[in-house]
Amino acid sequence: MLFQPYPFEKLQELIKDIRPNKPLFKLTIGEPQFPTPQNIQDAFKESSELLRFYPSTKGESYLYESIQDFLSYRYNLNLDSKQIIPTLGTREVLFNFPQFLLSEITHPTMAYPNPFYQVYEGASIASKSKVFLMELNQDNNFKPSLSIEQMKQVNLVILNSPNNPTGATLSKEELKQWVQYALEYDFVLLNDECYSEIYQDTPPAGILEASYELGNKDFKNILSINSISKRLSAPSLRSGFIAGDAEILKNYLTYRTYLGVAMPTPLQKTASIAWKSHKIAQEIRKKYADNLKLAQQIFTTTPIYPFSFYVWLYVRDELSFCKKLYEKEGILVLPGSFLGRNNAGKGYVRIALVYDTPTLKPILETIATFLQKGEF
């Protein structure tokens, strides 16, 4: 199998000979710069004695209860434990689930947005799948779509709403339409919802609530994944889940026992505290909301959606812009072309709004001024 280098590897190659003139600010990776809440840190310390136990691949009951609590709080959905699998973050799911799902299909086909989170592509390579790239661009408001002929062929469609890197988000009605397509053309529909908890005012819709309201209450063919990483500034906790169609998840859980992806028991215990920390999560969300508002005020000609924490900024020559901004101002952003194929993302850079607002303000102002001058 031949995999493309990850975007951050390409970035390091791009800037390897550059020595910036100023202190470094990294706005490349979606890594929260806010401290992990104290209650989660305390829970982690207090759970260390659980290291003496082998972790369960299935997951402990208290973790299921906390994820169920989150789904009830966030989407007013009461899922059975058979409709949920706790996971070791979500990247591993996005990589190994397609391999599981498509393993017995002779000529499997996947579809996912372009540009994309690169693990989608890795999964398609590992599962030897044909791929339909759903192009995201300004002309279609960065919304994914497939033709009827493509939907007749596809076995697995991965959506990503709210979207990384564009921030564009599908409405509940748009998600319902995708659910209808999944049922009508009998493909599995998975929505990567890792940015669902970062928004300004109104929370984005989820694929499971769309499915339920449409009448597909058993979530046939429908799955959602999510993670605690952004919601509680805890990416190293590696707590995520996949939820939805119990018939699919039953066999997938058996498959997972062979993968060695059991979440360490102290992390399961800590995560069970984190998933229930709704008030603290709202406090963190408001910080990102302030950052989004700030970005909207500074980049007035760029569509910045009130979801996720990225700015998808058009700069014309993204490679030169990235190198010169890094050299002259010590600010590192990610070229959009590193996130897509067939020129998707070309001309854009992705900016992660992960610092506190006072720190971020002069950085974004510097980027806006640098762009306006056009000296790159």
Side-chain angles (χ1 to χ4, degrees), residues 331-354:
I331 299 170
L332 196 56
V333 296
L334 189 65
S337 57
F338 290 179
L339 295 166
R341 301 292 177 261
N342 305 331
N343 289 323
K346 185 175 177 61
Y348 288 85
V349 294
R350 190 187 75 177
I351 303 171
L353 308 177
V354 290

Side-chain angles (χ1 to χ4, degrees), residues 215-272:
N216 186 28
K217 297 184 178 182
D218 291 331
F219 311 115
K220 176 177 170 55
N221 288 2
I222 307 301
L223 295 163
S224 165
I225 66 165
N226 213 326
S227 163
I228 205 83
S229 299
K230 279 72 175 177
R231 185 177 191 250
L232 269 301
S233 294
S236 279
L237 188 53
R238 308 312 304 140
S239 179
F241 67 80
I242 181 169
D245 190 325
E247 289 301 310
I248 295 174
L249 294 182
K250 177 182 177 181
N251 292 328
Y252 178 52
L253 179 58
T254 302
Y255 169 82
R256 290 178 61 81
T257 62
Y258 291 87
L259 293 177
V261 291
M263 187 180 186
T265 311
L267 295 187
Q268 292 194 48
K269 190 66 175 180
T270 305
S272 72

Side-chain angles (χ1 to χ4, degrees), residues 9-10 50-51 134 153 165 180 221 244 254 284 365 368-369:
E9 296 176 56
K10 293 181 180 180
L50 297 174
L51 285 167
M134 298 187 287
Q153 297 177 53
Q180 288 180 318
N221 288 2
T254 302
I284 293 173
E365 290 174 339
T369 300

Side-chain angles (χ1 to χ4, degrees), residues 39-44 46-47 50 59-70 86-87 228 231-232 234 237-241 263-278:
N39 72 318
I40 298 175
Q41 295 188 46
D42 291 343
F44 179 60
E46 293 164 5
S47 303
L50 297 174
E60 300 296 333
S61 60
Y62 48 73
L63 182 54
Y64 277 86
E65 290 167 4
S66 292
I67 294 172
Q68 288 168 312
D69 178 81
F70 165 76
T87 61
I228 205 83
R231 185 177 191 250
L232 269 301
L237 188 53
R238 308 312 304 140
S239 179
F241 67 80
M263 187 180 186
T265 311
L267 295 187
Q268 292 194 48
K269 190 66 175 180
T270 305
S272 72
I273 303 299
W275 282 109
K276 287 184 174 182
S277 298
H278 308 311

Side-chain angles (χ1 to χ4, degrees), residues 157-207:
V157 174
I158 299 177
L159 302 178
N160 176 208
S161 177
N163 181 255
N164 165 24
T166 70
T169 302
L170 297 170
S171 68
K172 189 181 292 184
E173 290 307 311
E174 288 171 322
L175 290 173
K176 286 180 180 179
Q177 181 63 73
W178 274 105
V179 172
Q180 288 180 318
Y181 287 147
L183 295 173
E184 181 176 355
Y185 296 102
D186 196 26
F187 59 78
V188 173
L189 178 64
L190 184 152
N191 191 24
D192 178 356
E193 299 180 359
C194 285
Y195 292 90
S196 69
E197 303 313 290
I198 300 174
Y199 56 90
Q200 279 182 278
D201 300 305
T202 304
I207 197 70

Side-chain angles (χ1 to χ4, degrees), residues 116-162:
F116 48 69
Y117 180 34
Q118 193 160 314
V119 73
Y120 306 161
E121 179 185 71
S124 69
I125 294 169
S127 59
K128 297 180 172 59
S129 294
K130 176 182 175 180
V131 173
F132 295 135
L133 292 174
M134 298 187 287
E135 305 297 338
L136 307 181
N137 52 58
Q138 200 163 11
D139 292 339
N140 59 25
N141 295 315
F142 305 106
K143 300 289 183 76
S145 65
L146 291 171
S147 69
I148 291 176
E149 285 305 311
Q150 288 173 325
M151 286 190 283
K152 288 178 179 178
Q153 297 177 53
V154 75
N155 306 111
L156 171 64
V157 174
I158 299 177
L159 302 178
N160 176 208
S161 177

